[in-house]
Amino acid sequence: MGTTSEARSVEPWSVEGELVVNCNCDVFCPCVVSLGRVQPTQGYCQAFMATRVDSGHYGDTDLSDLTVVHLLDIPGRMSEGGWSVGLYVDQRADDDQAEALERIFTGQAGGSSGLLTLLVANYLGMQRVPVSYEIDGDTRKINAGGKIVGGVEPIAGSVEGEPVTIENSPYWVSDRIVIGKGVKSKVRDFGRVWSLDGLSAEICSIRWTGP
């Protein structure tokens, strides 16, 4: 997978924050517990992933308080690759920040997200657009330039106010995942028109480093 920034050497980096995914699996994405070895419930995956970077850096470039959103179109088992991916970077990022975020969130910076370089066959490119990641009660509200708009909220557990979680997971994204569902989520870009309302979602804290 190529990006415009491959020629530069890789700097030490880290990002901490929160990530949500909303996909087209019916109940909960089996890829989380099978590490991508089991097919998605529809046999293919249509999803968005939004990451709010609370604190982070790439070399000397500060990445705090920025948001990145992925469009993910995966033809079968996640572990078998062939992914098509589009990237939306917060337009508040300057040129150095945008380049650093692109390198990290396409896997080109190695480390925690480096697996993406093995899985993505078709990189649709980066767009710098207004991106928001808001928390309203338990709901995360996402908007990437009006092209990905929706929300994610936890499903109800047996104890009121306590989320349903998967703990101690070897999942590369995070070892603790809150199980959720999509709320009025829609994707409309790159020739894709998807509705993910009521379908599988997840919420997790991340601490990624590289290279």
Side-chain angles (χ1 to χ4, degrees), residues 7-211:
R8 288 183 54 184
S9 60
V10 176
E11 301 281 353
W13 63 270
S14 68
V15 293
E16 297 186 21
E18 187 177 84
L19 176 151
V20 299
V21 179
N22 188 183
C23 72
N24 66 325
C25 285
D26 289 328
V27 180
F28 183 66
C29 176
C31 303
V32 172
V33 291
S34 75
L35 303 185
R37 291 187 293 269
V38 173
Q39 280 196 341
T41 61
Q42 302 296 334
Y44 56 89
C45 178
Q46 299 172 338
F48 73 83
M49 179 171 75
T51 306
R52 186 193 69 205
V53 179
D54 295 328
S55 63
H57 71 92
Y58 180 84
D60 294 330
T61 301
D62 183 27
L63 303 177
S64 303
D65 193 32
L66 295 170
T67 301
V68 176
V69 178
H70 290 77
L71 177 151
L72 304 171
D73 193 350
I74 302 169
R77 292 180 179 87
M78 296 185 77
S79 62
E80 294 177 351
W83 298 18
S84 294
V85 172
L87 192 67
Y88 306 85
V89 171
D90 196 329
Q91 70 173 12
R92 296 181 298 118
D94 64 25
D95 290 347
D96 288 342
Q97 290 172 319
E99 181 178 355
L101 290 168
E102 182 181 31
R103 289 179 68 83
I104 292 169
F105 287 94
T106 59
Q108 295 297 320
S112 301
S113 57
L115 181 65
L116 293 172
T117 61
L118 300 177
L119 298 173
V120 177
N122 181 26
Y123 180 47
L124 302 172
M126 175 181 71
Q127 299 181 37
R128 298 169 70 172
V129 297
V131 179
S132 61
Y133 185 123
E134 300 175 354
I135 299 179
D136 182 5
D138 289 333
T139 302
R140 278 64 173 171
K141 296 182 178 180
I142 311 301
N143 191 321
K147 300 174 181 183
I148 296 177
V149 180
V152 169
E153 65 182 17
I155 64 172
S158 61
V159 177
E160 185 176 354
E162 294 292 328
V164 179
T165 62
I166 294 174
E167 308 279 346
N168 193 32
S169 169
Y171 186 40
W172 71 273
V173 173
S174 181
D175 62 359
R176 181 181 187 273
I177 301 97
V178 174
I179 299 176
K181 64 181 180 180
V183 181
K184 299 180 180 178
S185 297
K186 298 185 184 301
V187 175
R188 290 186 172 89
D189 202 14
F190 295 112
R192 279 81 171 170
V193 181
W194 305 334
S195 174
L196 305 175
D197 183 35
L199 300 178
S200 172
E202 61 200 66
I203 305 167
C204 51
S205 297
I206 64 165
R207 296 184 67 181
W208 293 354
T209 60

